[in-house]
């Protein structure tokens, strides 16, 4: 199955909004995002179940999947944006019509819990999808210039994004292992990547540039998940590894049953350095204000020696 690319987003195009994971807390978050998209020159269609709530989910699994399928089936819709992540995307995978998605290639963008959908799309359709921000954050308070720049570089231009640069010169990119590597981009949120193992949607890392990010996880949680990936052979098969900033991934409370001194960096070095795979840590590709949008399934080049990642292929046609 060959690589499938969606059409680039142009002014006047129609964006469909879906909520595959958690419900929104304030409706105004959605309304603000819609106003922003309209100010940018796009038309917006909102899924009929977007404002639903089913406990901690934005509607039942079937309702959320119905909205997703309906947007890909709608010939007037050019791109599908999620409201945000949270929890629950994996629950609706059984209801997604992947044949429909493959036959109607469109931009699909989201991150965090949406990782589950990205990996399933890669597995069953080869459609390039986009690890990037949800539209509930499309407002002047939350949408930084960096976020906006990389969003449009990824979905609105036919040239490759190029370097995923630091958002701030004061930030630091750490080289875990020197070297360089080429391969297609895959990955996403560490918890959800691990959750794919042993399922029909399991991540394929062989010969690929694996990127991972996490938020609100203590070092022992990170250790557990890297152990899982290592035991599954997923770290060893990657051509290169890129770790995002991993926001708030330190110990939450120092009241251990036994003394723990491992930091996030200690874990990364312990698992990744012996693999002799080029690897860096610290790029803005996760739960950070300055989130860079990454097209998943396209070619990339990792120059770990110089601490740089380049997206060398466009994700749109």
């Amino acid at each position: 199955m060959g690589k499938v690319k969606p059409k680039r987003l142009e002014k006047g195009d129609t964006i469909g909004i879906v909520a595959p994971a958690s419900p929104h807390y304030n409706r105004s978050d959605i309304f603000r995002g819609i106003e922003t998209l309209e100010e940018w020159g796009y038309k917006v269609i909102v899924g009929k179940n977007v404002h639903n709530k089913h406990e901690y989910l934005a509607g039942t699994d079937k309702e959320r999947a119905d909205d997703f399928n309906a947007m890909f089936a709608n010939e007037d819709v050019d791109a599908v944006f999620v409201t945000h992540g949270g929890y629950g995307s994996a629950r609706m995978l059984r209801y997604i019509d992947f044949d429909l998605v493959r036959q109607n290639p469109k931009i699909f963008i989201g991150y965090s819990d949406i990782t589950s959908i990205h990996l399933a799309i890669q597995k069953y359709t080869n459609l390039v999808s986009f690890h990037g921000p949800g539209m509930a954050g499309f407002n002047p308070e939350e949408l930084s210039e960096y976020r906006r720049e990389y969003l449009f570089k990824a979905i609105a231009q036919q040239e490759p994004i190029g370097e995923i640069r630091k958002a701030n010169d004061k930030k630091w990119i750490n080289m875990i292992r020197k070297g360089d590597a080429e391969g297609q981009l895959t990955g996403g949120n560490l918890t959800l990547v691990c959750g794919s193992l042993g399922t029909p949607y399991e991540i394929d890392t062989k010969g690929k540039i694996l990127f991972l990010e996490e938020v609100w996880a203590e070092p022992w949680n990170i250790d557990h998940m890297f152990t899982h990936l290592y035991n599954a052979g997923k770290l060893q098969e990657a051509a290169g590894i890129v770790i995002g900033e991993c926001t708030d991934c330190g110990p939450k409370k120092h009241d251990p049953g036994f003394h723990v001194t491992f930091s996030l960096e200690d874990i990364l070095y312990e698992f990744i350095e012996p693999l002799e795979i080029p690897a860096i840590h610290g790029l803005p590709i996760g739960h950070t204000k300055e989130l860079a949008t990454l097209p998943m399934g396209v070619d990339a080049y990792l120059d770990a020696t110089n601490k740089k990642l380049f997206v060398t292929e466009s994700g749109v046609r």
Side-chain angles (χ1 to χ4, degrees), residues 105-288:
K106 300 177 183 184
I107 290 167
F108 175 71
I109 185 168
Y111 79 111
S112 191
D113 190 72
I114 310 303
T115 295
S116 296
I117 303 176
H118 287 309
L119 295 180
I121 286 175
Q122 283 191 308
K123 193 84 168 186
Y124 283 100
T125 75
N126 265 13
L127 173 65
V128 173
S129 59
F130 298 84
H131 183 272
M135 57 77 61
F138 289 179
N139 61 72
E141 284 186 289
E142 298 181 64
L143 189 67
S144 70
E145 283 303 313
Y146 183 91
R147 269 197 183 212
R148 180 172 174 173
E149 175 190 351
Y150 274 91
L151 171 67
F152 284 105
K153 275 186 173 183
I155 66 175
Q157 70 174 36
Q158 291 171 315
E159 297 76 28
I161 294 172
E163 183 183 354
I164 305 298
R165 69 178 193 280
K166 291 185 295 183
N168 185 326
D169 286 339
K170 295 179 182 178
K171 293 283 188 177
W172 170 258
I173 306 299
N174 191 36
M175 181 184 69
I176 301 172
R177 184 84 190 194
K178 68 180 181 179
D180 63 338
E182 293 179 294
Q184 293 182 3
L185 280 171
T186 192
N189 179 264
L190 177 59
T191 297
L192 280 304
V193 167
C194 285
S196 77
L197 301 181
T199 75
Y201 319 104
E202 180 169 309
I203 189 170
D204 175 15
T205 64
K206 191 170 184 179
K208 298 186 178 182
I209 305 295
L210 173 64
F211 70 92
L212 299 167
E213 63 87 21
E214 193 51 270
V215 63
W216 306 328
E218 295 191 54
W220 72 269
N221 298 123
I222 303 288
D223 187 299
H224 166 73
M225 290 185 281
F226 268 89
T227 299
H228 196 180
L229 287 178
Y230 185 90
N231 288 343
K234 298 301 180 180
L235 296 177
Q236 301 93 312
E237 289 182 340
I241 298 175
V242 177
I243 309 296
E245 290 186 20
C246 295
T247 304
D248 196 17
C249 286
K252 300 294 185 298
K253 179 174 127 180
H254 192 69
D255 186 19
F258 52 91
H259 194 59
V260 177
T261 58
F262 259 177
S263 69
L264 168 64
E265 281 195 4
D266 290 333
I267 294 163
L268 296 180
Y269 275 102
E270 181 156 297
F271 278 94
I272 297 174
E273 192 176 31
L275 300 178
E276 299 185 4
I277 294 171
I280 60 174
H281 166 223
L283 280 183
I285 55 173
H287 289 73
T288 65

Side-chain angles (χ1 to χ4, degrees), residues 62-74:
K62 186 68 165 50
E63 286 171 342
R64 289 177 286 120
D66 284 348
D67 274 4
F68 181 92
N69 290 332
M71 290 302 177
F72 274 91
N74 190 333

Side-chain angles (χ1 to χ4, degrees), residues 11 35-42 138 143 148 151-152:
K11 292 288 180 67
E35 281 191 9
T36 300
L37 290 173
E38 290 175 340
E39 288 171 2
W40 289 346
Y42 304 109
F138 289 179
L143 189 67
R148 180 172 174 173
L151 171 67
F152 284 105

